Amino acid sequence: MAQPITIGANSIAKIGNRSFLIVEVEAKTTGVEIDPVFGVRTTAQQAAALLRAGVRRTKFEDSDPKPTRTTKVELKGVLFANGRIFKVFDVENTKIDISVLVRINRAQAQRLIRNGTRIIKVYRKPF
């Protein structure tokens, strides 16, 4: 039987002069599918060690990723980090599961949040 809780998309984002671990926690079982995304501030040393260990870099794009026949794209929320604002997408196919960030302005963020898009929780103090 598969584990009901796993880590989905996970990557290191360098936003300005700060690093963040962007991670999706997936909880799935019969009748339940919960998959929030969190941001966790890391030190530069922690980010470097995680990258050396194989964690991917977060992708930054200028426009929203588009789903294809083989790639699923899901808007996970709005991220406020280091004075910048992003839409966070989970992009997934049989080979990858990664977060994609698209920079937006405050008005766009407010419109998304008003329409029900979640705010991504960020733990701002490194562990």
Side-chain angles (χ1 to χ4, degrees), residues 46-72:
Q46 290 169 326
L50 289 167
L51 290 166
R52 282 192 304 274
V55 175
R56 294 181 179 179
R57 292 186 186 276
T58 303
K59 293 180 98 178
F60 291 86
E61 300 288 345
D62 294 327
S63 60
D64 296 355
K66 304 290 183 225
T68 66
R69 188 173 49 79
T70 58
T71 302
K72 178 181 152 190

Side-chain angles (χ1 to χ4, degrees), residues 59-119:
K59 293 180 98 178
F60 291 86
E61 300 288 345
D62 294 327
S63 60
D64 296 355
K66 304 290 183 225
T68 66
R69 188 173 49 79
T70 58
T71 302
K72 178 181 152 190
V73 174
E74 181 182 2
L75 175 62
K76 302 304 287 188
V78 175
L79 173 70
F80 295 83
N82 202 24
R84 296 179 177 115
I85 309 169
F86 301 90
K87 288 190 279 187
V88 178
F89 293 90
D90 179 41
V91 178
E92 187 174 349
N93 62 32
T94 57
K95 295 181 180 146
I96 63 158
D97 187 4
I98 194 160
S99 293
V100 173
L101 276 58
V102 177
R103 192 156 181 195
I104 59 174
N105 62 41
R106 185 165 300 281
Q108 292 169 307
Q110 289 171 338
R111 189 169 35 260
L112 286 165
I113 293 164
R114 251 192 332 270
N115 290 328
T117 302
R118 289 182 172 86
I119 297 172

